[in-house]
Amino acid sequence: MGDNGQVINIRESVMKHLFRHWRTSGAVIGSLLKKGSIAVLALLVVFLAGRIYESQRGPALHRWHTWSGNEMSAEEIDQATFAQYLAREKTIFADLQREVTEALPEEDKTPVNRFYRHSRVWPGQFQQDWNRSFVLLPLGKPRGSVVLLHGLTDSPYSVRYLAQLWQQRGYVAVVPRLPGHGTAPGALTAVDWETWLAATRLAVREATRLAGADVPLHLVGYSNGGALALKYALDSLEDNHLRQPQQIILLSPMIGVTAFARFAGLAGLPSVFPAFARAAWLNVAPEFNPFKYNSFPVKAARQSWLLSQALQQQIIRAARQGELKALPPILTFQSVMDSTVSTRAVVESLYRYLPDNGSELVVFDINQAADLRVLFRPALYAAVNTLLPPAPRAYTTTVVTNATAHTLQTVARTTLAQEREEHRYPLHLAWPADIYSLSHVAVPFPLSDSLYGREPDEKNRYGISLGTISLRGETGTLSVGLETLMRVTSNPFFPWMMTRVDERIACGEQAAVAACLKAQARAEALKQDQVQNGTQQDTDDRRGSHEAEQADKP
């Protein structure tokens, strides 16, 4: 009993010690959690206070910021015909006319306000209002159909050149105005990405109705529209009721966005109080662009992040389940410099998972021979090299860049899928000396575009030619940021890009699209080698002649 009692006493002592330790540790942990919570709360209060202060300093909201159209919900769109969607769209534009345009106060009736009926940029005065959905029909029996999706804050105007190309090739082109777009920026506060995706499904149904289900279906997406096009294609792998596309073309696709968009919802929290309604907007700017919003609401940023997250997760899931082998070939055009979407996400969150199916990534490098090149951040010189993983890759890559660091003339450097050898050929296109890179918004527009082009074929056709603006003066004078007006808005490589797209369309009617694209890419590479060798031979011949002439001189 003595030994047993001693054991019991030892156990009791140990238990008391452990209890005291747990109680002390629990108190410490509780204290840390309490302090951590207080710190987080304090940071949140400081953030919200700063956000309120910042928003109150900005310009006041106007009627077009507080107006939102009566768009169809995702459920309604899934049950609607395209004709019904257009009828609702017509009603929305009539409401905009009555509730915004005809109700403007005098101070908003300026020559470059898109909502003023007598301004130079009022969309309703032009022969075609490119803010609205449109359909292009080919001559004769359709050879295929294409659905083209515009970007966030944008309108169908941004994909009209591509739509016209497909129409010329015998395709039905359906270009929907995505809900919340083309009317007033306030409309973006009342829609979500699921509604945009429902409009994508509707456009595919209409394209199929017009062209039939026995011809190719292509999807084209710019920016946010690129994310929607890819999301639809992935959904079609899981849902037999959705028609699968045969090809996908992406321009500056929104595969990933900046980290700030993830927390955009917090930035808008103060707007629950009417006095701080301005906090619901990340940017409030004059609306002088007839076919794109300049103002940007918090909700739009939040929805873009939610869409990109849903897309990235679906790509990873489909890759793990082996479903991506059924994904159609993707051709993407992307500037290495892009302040709207993540260029790296295009590579790491999409292309790294693609099978060897004829896909290609085209990257526009910076202008390595630009004026004031010394002002570049040092990392930019090798931005493309650090972006792409080492060859071989499962997809073809083409880099558009300067022939040398001292010339504005450009070349295409192509590495075929599963190969290491690089093929080079001249584009016979030159960088403008004063452009140091492309931008997110420049990719889908030619230099000749009347609104965005730097060399418009008809200046001010839509009341303003943004691509020709070159202002000089004192900082802090303009009501818009200088970066808005400095951003390049047209693509000097647009003709070459359209040729590449045209080549893709040519493979669209082949039974084995991927095989056609691979053969096409190889033939192009061989042609590049022939051109390169011929150029080198010409150079050698000229050098030999020059040396012979020099030798003949006394």
Side-chain angles (χ1 to χ4, degrees), residues 19-74:
F19 178 74
R20 284 195 300 269
H21 177 73
W22 288 339
R23 186 171 58 183
T24 303
S25 299
V28 171
I29 293 173
S31 176
L32 291 175
L33 289 175
K34 183 178 179 180
K35 291 178 180 178
S37 299
I38 293 173
V40 170
L41 182 60
L43 288 174
L44 181 60
V45 170
V46 170
F47 172 78
L48 293 178
R51 178 64 184 147
I52 291 172
Y53 174 73
E54 180 187 4
S55 65
Q56 296 305 103
R57 291 176 59 205
L61 298 181
H62 296 269
R63 191 175 295 271
W64 50 86
H65 295 113
T66 57
W67 179 91
S68 60
N70 183 25
E71 298 278 7
M72 286 183 174
S73 66

Side-chain angles (χ1 to χ4, degrees), residues 221-378:
Y222 163 52
S223 189
N224 186 66
L228 294 170
L230 187 55
K231 183 73 171 65
Y232 173 89
L234 290 168
D235 288 346
S236 71
L237 301 180
E238 304 172 354
D239 186 346
N240 293 330
H241 295 95
L242 298 178
R243 187 181 171 202
Q244 293 188 15
Q246 280 68 57
Q247 287 204 62
I248 302 173
I249 310 292
L250 305 178
L251 291 79
S252 307
M254 193 193 68
I255 308 302
V257 293
T258 61
F260 175 77
R262 178 175 186 176
F263 304 102
L266 291 177
L269 281 180
S271 64
V272 299
F273 302 102
F276 306 130
R278 173 64 178 76
W281 293 82
L282 295 176
N283 186 40
V284 173
E287 297 295 338
F288 51 79
N289 189 327
F291 304 129
K292 181 179 176 64
Y293 305 150
N294 291 328
S295 302
F296 191 55
V298 167
K299 184 170 182 180
R302 175 68 176 170
Q303 292 304 309
S304 68
W305 182 80
L306 291 173
L307 171 58
S308 67
Q309 289 302 295
L311 179 60
Q312 290 181 22
Q313 292 168 10
Q314 191 170 10
I315 291 171
I316 294 173
R317 184 172 68 250
R320 289 173 177 170
Q321 296 174 354
E323 296 175 349
L324 291 185
K325 61 178 181 242
L327 194 68
I330 301 173
L331 171 62
T332 298
F333 297 93
Q334 175 68 46
S335 170
V336 70
M337 301 308 301
D338 192 319
S339 63
T340 300
V341 303
S342 168
T343 298
R344 186 161 297 280
V346 174
V347 177
E348 296 184 353
S349 298
L350 172 58
Y351 271 79
R352 69 177 291 191
Y353 296 106
L354 294 181
D356 184 3
N357 65 349
S359 293
E360 180 176 355
L361 172 61
V362 176
V363 179
F364 297 104
D365 194 9
I366 63 171
N367 180 1
Q368 300 279 355
D371 291 343
L372 300 178
R373 183 175 183 264
V374 293
L375 298 181
F376 287 176
R377 287 183 280 116

Side-chain angles (χ1 to χ4, degrees), residues 491-505:
N491 182 358
F493 310 106
F494 186 85
W496 175 82
M497 184 183 79
M498 293 293 273
T499 299
R500 294 302 317 280
V501 172
D502 202 11
E503 292 170 353
R504 286 265 164 165
I505 297 174

